[in-house]
């Protein structure tokens, strides 16, 4: 078996924060430690703890399993608690987040996977290669459950 680049497991988020850094006001900057909170971890906190949504609905919204949602939420809570109790800064950045998840398929090898809305721009521009065979012949491939997300896709050409 050849080694393959595994497609990223995307988490759908609606909220991208403007404020990305929180720090204790009276700490020496040189000795300040920080926790990195991923964008999808912040989204989990927002949905569950701020919006008060049921866990299942949160998972659906982020298009992850309930177990995955629980894991993301736990990681977020642990980091926030650690920062509040132990006086560490919180930096919010990175993660496997996207504004939407697009089901795509390689026309060359037939591999199907979920790609980020942002990467779909690269696919349209021929700047993205199939993780299985490196082909650029990638098309959107919605299942019954997931419709395509974007205008400008060739599925909608001529509409
Ligand atoms: Zn392929």
């Amino acid at each position: 078996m050849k080694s393959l680049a595994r497609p990223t497991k995307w988490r759908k988020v609606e909220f991208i924060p403007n404020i990305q850094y929180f720090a204790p006001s009276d700490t020496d900057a040189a000795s300040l430690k920080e926790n990195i909170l991923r964008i999808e971890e912040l989204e989990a906190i927002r949905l569950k703890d701020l919006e008060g949504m049921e866990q299942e609905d949160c998972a659906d919204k982020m298009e992850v399993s309930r177990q995955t949602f629980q894991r993301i939420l736990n990681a977020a809570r642990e980091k926030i608690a650690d920062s509040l109790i132990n006086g560490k800064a919180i930096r919010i950045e990175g993660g496997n987040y996207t504004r939407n998840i697009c089901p795509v398929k390689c026309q060359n090898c037939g591999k199907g996977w979920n790609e980020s809305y942002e990467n779909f721009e690269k696919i349209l521009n021929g700047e993205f290669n199939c993780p299985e065979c490196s082909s650029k012949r990638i098309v959107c491939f919605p299942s019954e459950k997931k419709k395509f997300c974007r205008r400008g896709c060739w599925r909608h050409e001529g509409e």
Side-chain angles (χ1 to χ4, degrees):
M1 220 182 123
K2 49 184 179 161
S3 67
L4 309 169
R6 295 219 334 247
T8 306
K9 289 195 160 65
W10 298 103
R11 288 80 165 86
K12 185 174 168 183
V13 306
E14 288 176 354
F15 180 73
I16 308 285
N18 289 320
I19 300 171
Q20 291 167 317
Y21 189 72
F22 295 86
S25 60
D26 58 350
T27 308
D28 174 19
S31 63
L32 185 60
K33 292 179 179 165
E34 61 183 38
N35 280 299
I36 309 286
L37 196 63
R38 302 300 178 196
I39 302 288
E40 64 263 31
E41 291 170 350
L42 184 71
E43 180 75 348
I45 289 285
R46 187 182 74 84
L47 296 174
K48 186 77 185 73
D49 294 340
L50 193 63
E51 302 289 328
M53 287 173 54
E54 296 296 331
Q55 184 144 323
E56 194 169 351
D57 297 331
C58 296
D60 285 350
K61 223 170 167 53
M62 291 180 70
E63 299 190 21
V64 297
S65 70
R66 268 203 273 182
Q67 291 86 339
T68 298
F69 181 80
Q70 184 66 58
R71 197 162 41 73
I72 295 169
L73 182 67
N74 286 349
R77 286 174 172 171
E78 204 176 307
K79 290 173 185 178
I80 291 167
D82 180 49
S83 280
L84 293 179
I85 303 302
N86 297 316
K88 298 179 187 175
I90 297 174
R91 185 180 299 282
I92 303 170
E93 66 179 17
N96 299 331
Y97 67 94
T98 175
R99 288 183 182 280
N100 213 342
I101 298 170
C102 311
V104 297
K105 189 173 182 175
C106 174
Q107 289 186 306
N108 187 49
C109 72
K111 182 182 176 61
W113 73 97
N114 288 326
E115 196 46 75
S116 73
Y117 176 91
E118 292 78 6
N119 277 348
F120 201 78
E121 195 69 38
K122 294 182 185 167
I123 290 175
L124 289 171
N125 293 333
E127 296 163 0
F128 196 94
N129 300 86
C130 170
E132 181 95 18
C133 74
S134 298
S135 167
K136 292 184 194 297
R137 292 175 54 220
I138 302 163
V139 294
C140 63
F141 194 73
S143 61
E144 276 176 36
K145 200 174 160 199
K146 260 202 77 55
K147 288 191 224 136
F148 195 73
C149 55
R150 189 185 196 278
R151 277 189 298 170
C153 168
W154 49 78
R155 279 189 72 240
H156 303 289
E157 263 175 29
E159 283 182 13

